[in-house]
Amino acid sequence: MTLDDRLQAAPIGVIETSTDGRVVDANETAATTLETTSESLRGTDIREGFPKSATGTLRAAFDGDSVTARSFEEYYPRIDRWLSVDIHVDETVLVYVRDQTERREGAERVERLERRLDRVQDINGLVAAVLRRVIDASDRTAVGQTVCERLGGTDRYRFAWVGERDFPDDSLRTLAAAGDAPDLRTQIGDSLESEGTFPEQTALETGETQVVATIAEDKAVPRGVRRAAFGHGLQSCLAIPLAYRGTTYGVVSVYSGREDGFSEGERAGLETLGRVAGFAIRALRQEDLLVADTLTEVTIDVRDESVPLVRAAREAECSFTLDGAVPRGDGAVVCYLDTEQADDDAGEATAPSDGATPTLEDALADDGAVTDVRRIEDEGGPELQATLVGETPVTTLVAWGATVTDAEYAADSVRVVAEAPPDGDVRRLVEAVDATAAETDLVSKAETPRTPDSPEAFRSDLDERLTDRQRTVLRTAYLSGYFASPRGSTSEEVADTLDIAGSTLLYHLRRAEQELVGTYFETDRETPSSTDT
């Protein structure tokens, strides 16, 4: 007896057996599902011809004096499939077989995604809690302690360590640590004093997150750190730079009790934490400088013909001054150069010819450490704008948190004046600059009391610098909503109000704005006088 045509064409596997388990027939679907043929199955004992599962439920159903009807779903390793099996007992025994592998794998994918989502939500909540406290931190140590205390010792992470960057030699020193592994903190501290590299140091040097999937097997991790981590069941690590605008201020390393214990979502969340913590550290440095009762003004001489801008001064055979330096946001610094002395030295600027001395503008444009060189058409102001990139005395001072107020460039040296954070170590600051040049000397260090002007003094000073027409135009534009967003009045409407031409209004308005901004930034250069007609 064989299966009828309907069972042969059934979309599921069908196997007919005798009551003692002998296979009478099987359709092609069953044979394909079991990775065999109908001919191979016929006449065999189903307990031998059917793949074996770990629990052996089908074998148990056919053992004994009679076949037991049952339904079950099991994994069959030999064919790497999940099968649902229904044993139906009537006048004959029919075994129905369905391949459930795709459904089971889909369910497992959904379960993994749900677990991953739960982990991402957990880490995002944890990061958000840390960020709120980091923003409120009062100093750099508080930033490090906040990060460590909220990350280390939690159910998700077992240990956290924060190291602060020592700018002169780009090394790390322990700022804070938290978690039930005090000997690990000691081992990390000992590793900082060695000359070898390890993930935290690599994260500092490259500015990129370092992933250690299996600490015990990663030779880049110092042996003492590996042993201490193993002793506390710590199996993986993530070292994240604390960086802001191209400058790395330290590193936070987080340890997990699982191998490869950081998903892409967790890594992204922790990297966000690193950026915000870096911003907080930088902001605290700037805040210290802004609200300090005293300013530490340092004057540094740098003698090195290869330093950018010095190199340009030598090639153009001139000298010039730096009137202002503004961090661009990616580690580069935009410099505004007063080239009046350069023009006096070199004469009228002309395009260089073969063998001729290049102009300062051309020398800057040819320097690989200088970008975005352009001339500024501003009477009485700096004549050139140039952006410094890479490791230079100016970019190093800015990265340290200092404000460069002045610099004088010559053919073989530069004298830089900067205001350093009040809690800064001037010796370390000079060493950091020295690392970028052949020879560096601290010329002077002065503590200057800060006596901020009152609002009344500010207004009085500005009032003396504005002409009557400039004051009228500025006040009318302000009261007309010209500076609002969206604007309450256009320039044409303000001009009509004053019964003057639009071009005249914009001329006086720009001159007044220049005086206002110049007074705010306390520029030293003389502002040209204005004549109203």
Side-chain angles (χ1 to χ4, degrees), residues 257-468:
R258 296 174 288 110
E259 287 190 6
D260 199 12
F262 303 90
S263 67
E264 288 298 322
E266 286 178 274
R267 174 173 170 175
L270 291 169
E271 287 177 339
T272 297
L273 171 62
R275 289 191 292 270
V276 174
F279 162 77
I281 293 174
R282 173 59 183 268
L284 287 168
R285 286 179 172 272
Q286 293 296 324
E287 182 180 0
D288 290 343
L289 183 61
L290 290 172
V291 304
D293 294 332
T294 61
L295 294 176
T296 303
E297 185 180 84
V298 295
T299 301
I300 302 173
D301 272 351
V302 177
R303 284 179 290 280
D304 187 338
E305 295 182 359
S306 66
V307 168
L309 300 192
V310 170
R311 186 163 52 221
R314 184 182 70 258
E315 292 177 1
E317 298 181 359
C318 67
S319 58
F320 56 89
T321 61
L322 184 150
D323 277 0
V326 181
R328 191 174 66 180
D330 56 358
V333 177
V334 182
C335 298
Y336 295 91
L337 310 176
D338 184 350
T339 63
E340 181 178 356
Q341 189 173 357
D343 292 339
D344 289 344
D345 293 343
E348 184 177 355
T350 58
S353 58
D354 292 341
T357 301
T359 65
L360 177 60
E361 186 174 355
D362 291 320
L364 291 170
D366 291 338
D367 196 315
V370 182
T371 64
D372 303 327
V373 179
R374 73 179 185 91
R375 183 165 291 278
I376 301 173
E377 302 298 335
D378 178 19
E379 182 183 358
E383 287 83 21
L384 285 178
Q385 171 188 305
T387 301
L388 283 176
V389 296
E391 296 291 330
T392 72
V394 169
T395 57
T396 299
L397 285 166
V398 171
W400 186 270
T403 298
V404 178
T405 59
D406 188 25
E408 298 177 1
Y409 286 89
D412 60 353
S413 64
V414 56
R415 171 166 289 191
V416 184
V417 180
E419 294 175 348
D423 65 341
D425 187 329
V426 173
R427 179 186 62 81
R428 293 172 61 196
L429 178 65
V430 175
E431 289 176 351
V433 175
D434 189 56
T436 68
E439 186 178 351
T440 303
D441 289 328
L442 177 63
V443 177
S444 65
K445 168 189 171 184
E447 299 291 336
T448 305
R450 170 174 281 175
T451 54
D453 291 335
S454 65
E456 291 76 13
F458 177 86
R459 283 194 291 267
S460 177
D461 182 28
L462 179 61
D463 197 53
E464 292 179 359
R465 301 173 70 166
L466 292 175
T467 66
D468 291 341

Side-chain angles (χ1 to χ4, degrees), residues 21-239:
R22 187 71 52 186
V23 176
V24 177
D25 200 2
N27 67 1
E28 288 301 320
T29 303
T32 301
T33 301
L34 301 180
E35 296 185 358
T36 184
T37 64
S38 299
E39 292 77 11
S40 299
L41 283 173
R42 293 189 190 105
T44 65
D45 189 324
I46 193 171
R47 286 165 288 198
E48 300 300 328
F50 206 93
K52 293 180 175 60
S53 67
T55 56
T57 307
L58 181 134
R59 177 183 292 273
F62 279 89
D63 285 341
D65 296 334
S66 61
V67 182
T68 304
R70 61 179 62 184
S71 298
F72 53 90
E73 186 171 291
E74 292 179 331
Y75 176 69
Y76 293 83
R78 183 176 66 79
I79 59 175
D80 189 25
R81 288 177 178 171
W82 282 88
L83 302 179
S84 69
V85 180
D86 295 286
I87 302 174
H88 179 75
V89 182
D90 199 351
E91 295 177 358
T92 60
V93 178
L94 294 177
V95 179
Y96 300 102
V97 182
R98 298 176 179 85
D99 187 351
Q100 301 293 344
T101 304
E102 185 175 348
R103 180 184 63 80
R104 289 294 296 248
E105 289 180 347
E108 290 176 356
R109 283 195 296 270
V110 171
E111 186 178 351
R112 286 195 299 269
L113 289 173
E114 288 177 345
R115 289 198 300 267
R116 185 178 300 175
L117 178 60
D118 289 341
R119 291 178 63 187
V120 170
Q121 290 175 338
D122 287 346
I123 185 61
N124 286 345
L126 178 61
V127 168
V130 176
L131 295 184
R132 285 193 294 269
R133 293 190 58 184
V134 162
I135 295 301
D136 293 333
S138 58
D139 53 40
R140 298 194 301 276
T141 300
V143 171
Q145 290 175 340
T146 295
V147 171
C148 286
E149 290 171 0
R150 296 306 299 266
L151 293 181
T154 63
D155 293 338
R156 184 164 299 281
Y157 307 120
R158 304 274 300 281
F159 183 81
W161 176 89
V162 172
E164 184 179 32
R165 178 183 180 184
D166 189 346
F167 280 85
D169 54 9
D170 275 346
S171 62
L172 288 167
R173 65 179 184 86
T174 299
L175 189 63
D180 188 21
D183 52 330
L184 179 56
R185 172 176 179 160
T186 301
Q187 289 296 333
I188 293 176
D190 292 343
S191 299
L192 298 178
E193 299 176 1
S194 67
E195 295 183 357
T197 59
F198 54 103
E200 288 82 358
Q201 185 69 36
T202 304
L204 174 67
E205 293 173 354
T206 64
E208 298 178 354
T209 298
Q210 302 299 305
V211 181
V212 183
T214 308
I215 295 175
E217 299 176 0
D218 196 323
K219 302 302 182 182
V221 180
R223 183 179 180 183
V225 174
R226 278 185 282 146
R227 294 182 63 181
F230 179 80
H232 292 279
L234 304 177
Q235 301 190 56
S236 59
C237 170
L238 205 64

